[in-house]
Amino acid sequence: MNIGIVLYPTYGGSGVVATELGKYLAKKGHEIHFITYSQPVRLGSFRENITYHEVTVSDYPLFDYEPYETVLASKMVDVAKHEQLDILHVHYAIPHASAAFMAREILKSQGITIPFVTTLHGTDITLVGKDPSFEPVITFCLNQSDAVTAVSESLKKDTYEHFSTDREIQVIPNFIPIEPLKPVDLSVRRRFALDEEPIFCHVSNFRKVKRVQDVLKVFGKVNEEVKSQLILAGDGPERYTLEQLCRELDLCDRVTFIGKVRDTQHVLELADLFMLPSETESFGLAALEAMALGVPVISSNTGGIPEVNIHGETGFLSDVGDIDDMAKNALFLLMDKEIHAKFKANAYKRAQEFDIERVVCEYERLYERLLK
Ligand code: GMT
């Protein structure tokens, strides 16, 4: 199949999922055309069956706001026609689904039929989607998409709650390539911690919704009992506040901000515990990435996280903001090597249920159904 994938090319989860999906489909022999405004971060160097089409908006002085959506729709039309696309798959509703709708209608007026799939990822529904100024367009696009998927049952439920649509929504969860577990490279680990010190890790875009402050507070409490180290990977609007909080909690020599990381795997594999205390989280891809490396997860119980992290098995779930409970759970895991090893094994086993090989087939079946 010739598949056009529209995505955000940045470090956000939807972009990572869309890029990994495209790369995997390309490996299976499909022709993949990524359409976005810059090279997707996870794309890497040249790969067979993959073409990247850049969307560039001219900065004509009349435009106070760049008409990205219009240029994106034009680009979709152009790529669909000249690369003979069979299907368009857009990740994140805003503004990709409305641009896809426009592209599909333009193509239809030229006698070309091409369906589009919209995959909802989270904040397109739970945060941005709730902003009433987007509501009519998102509802319309949900109804107009040839198929709609959501990355968790929780997100599907949220969509029905926030938008007046009875559109069928298929849940196709996020996925991960599963590889055999490797022993930790001690020479790398020792750059961050002494051998006896546990390593905590958190990866995100440091937005408010991630509650990274809670990561620091939980870590601070645990550190009073068990001297530990924390690696914070990522960057974003909360970075400055977090650095301040680190100073206030006197944790500067125990916390490493490593900034944005392309291959989070190299950081996650050093960790003994992964933390995800988010306010809302439709899925929690970072937690799944940690689990695939055998890292148990201390998280909030919000949104789709309980569909990934199993309480008392692969980690623990607490109410949003319950710092004491999260710290207690972390200590429970760290105090007993056998328990920790059991949770590690469970996390790895659970991650296998989201193996890329299994999940990507669901997208292929969906495409085939639409093309019949
Ligand atoms: O909000 C983000 O963290 C980024 C956002 C995105 O779309 O780039 O992530 C959402 O999509 C991910 C991939 O499907 C999910 O794993 C995240 O849980 C989801 N984020 C939220 O719901 C807050």
Side-chain angles (χ1 to χ4, degrees):
M1 267 179 263
N2 285 351
I3 306 162
I5 295 184
V6 179
L7 69 159
Y8 281 106
T10 52
Y11 286 82
S14 66
V16 169
V17 168
T19 311
E20 295 298 341
L21 172 65
K23 278 158 65 176
Y24 198 76
L25 288 167
K27 232 168 55 187
K28 291 185 86 176
H30 299 287
E31 279 291 336
I32 301 301
H33 296 270
F34 286 111
I35 306 173
T36 183
Y37 56 82
S38 74
Q39 170 110 1
V41 285
R42 283 276 183 110
L43 192 52
S45 51
F46 168 75
R47 283 165 197 269
E48 220 177 317
N49 299 339
I50 292 183
T51 312
Y52 159 54
H53 303 266
E54 192 156 297
V55 180
T56 37
V57 189
S58 59
D59 60 351
Y60 187 62
L62 179 69
F63 301 146
D64 276 344
Y65 301 100
E66 290 184 342
Y68 178 68
E69 189 176 337
T70 310
V71 183
L72 174 63
S74 292
K75 187 62 137 188
M76 284 193 228
V77 170
D78 186 65
V79 176
K81 270 162 76 171
H82 297 109
E83 303 289 351
Q84 275 100 41
L85 293 188
D86 297 303
I87 199 152
L88 275 165
H89 187 171
V90 303
H91 292 259
Y92 209 89
I94 310 157
H96 299 157
S98 38
F101 167 74
M102 203 193 292
R104 186 189 64 189
E105 295 307 302
I106 294 169
L107 288 161
K108 199 188 282 172
S109 73
Q110 299 175 11
I112 301 167
T113 306
I114 172 163
F116 77 93
V117 177
T118 300
T119 291
L120 307 173
H121 279 273
T123 45
D124 42 358
I125 295 300
T126 56
L127 288 183
V128 191
K130 269 190 259 180
D131 178 339
S133 56
F134 288 105
E135 191 279 326
V137 174
I138 298 183
T139 306
F140 179 78
C141 291
L142 291 173
N143 292 333
Q144 288 294 329
S145 301
D146 295 279
V148 178
T149 75
V151 297
S152 65
E153 291 292 341
S154 151
L155 184 61
K156 175 177 172 174
K157 194 168 146 271
D158 283 340
T159 309
Y160 287 134
E161 258 169 43
H162 299 308
F163 298 93
S164 52
T165 179
D166 50 10
R167 185 90 191 62
E168 188 199 332
I169 298 175
Q170 183 181 351
V171 174
I172 303 184
N174 287 332
F175 48 80
I176 188 87
I178 300 290
E179 279 162 28
L181 288 181
K182 287 184 297 188
V184 176
D185 183 339
L186 283 179
S187 63
V188 182
R189 196 188 189 281
R190 285 176 183 147
R191 284 191 223 146
F192 294 95
L194 301 173
D195 288 357
E196 64 277 16
E197 287 175 339
I199 296 183
F200 283 64
C201 184
H202 170 81
V203 180
S204 77
N205 44 24
F206 291 15
R207 283 192 273 145
K208 263 201 172 3
V209 69
K210 301 288 175 184
R211 295 184 70 102
V212 191
Q213 284 85 345
D214 288 2
V215 173
L216 284 175
K217 288 177 193 164
V218 172
F219 175 74
K221 278 190 175 286
V222 173
N223 192 57
E224 283 167 17
E225 308 285 327
V226 178
K227 289 290 167 226
S228 311
Q229 293 288 338
L230 169 64
I231 304 177
L232 290 174
D235 212 329
E238 292 294 290
R239 167 86 178 250
Y240 178 75
T241 318
L242 293 168
E243 285 172 341
Q244 291 276 92
L245 184 60
C246 252
R247 288 175 207 126
E248 278 164 34
L249 297 174
D250 195 20
L251 289 172
C252 294
D253 57 341
R254 303 228 148 246
V255 179
T256 311
F257 286 85
I258 55 167
K260 287 184 181 168
V261 179
R262 206 176 282 256
D263 275 321
T264 46
Q265 178 188 349
H266 299 305
V267 185
L268 291 169
E269 65 194 6
L270 304 174
D272 297 288
L273 285 182
F274 183 77
M275 293 214 49
L276 193 66
S278 311
E279 183 83 35
T280 72
E281 195 73 66
S282 68
F283 184 88
L285 181 65
L288 178 62
E289 290 182 325
M291 287 161 62
L293 295 163
V295 183
V297 175
I298 297 293
S299 69
S300 56
N301 54 14
T302 187
I305 301 180
E307 294 171 48
V308 182
N309 183 24
I310 309 298
H311 185 73
E313 226 177 84
T314 61
F316 286 100
L317 301 160
S318 308
D319 289 340
V320 172
D322 194 341
I323 310 291
D324 289 342
D325 195 53
M326 291 185 200
K328 186 190 87 200
N329 293 335
L331 280 166
F332 174 78
L333 286 177
L334 294 177
M335 289 300 204
D336 187 320
K337 281 206 162 62
E338 264 180 43
I339 290 177
H340 186 247
K342 177 91 186 107
F343 274 69
K344 274 176 76 67
N346 291 346
Y348 182 62
K349 190 154 168 261
R350 171 77 181 147
Q352 289 169 22
E353 291 173 39
F354 299 89
D355 188 355
I356 191 164
E357 272 181 47
R358 285 189 195 185
V359 180
V360 168
C361 293
E362 293 192 47
Y363 281 116
E364 282 179 299
R365 278 197 290 271
L366 171 62
Y367 301 157
E368 279 157 14
R369 183 159 55 76
L370 292 175
L371 293 177
K372 266 189 199 150

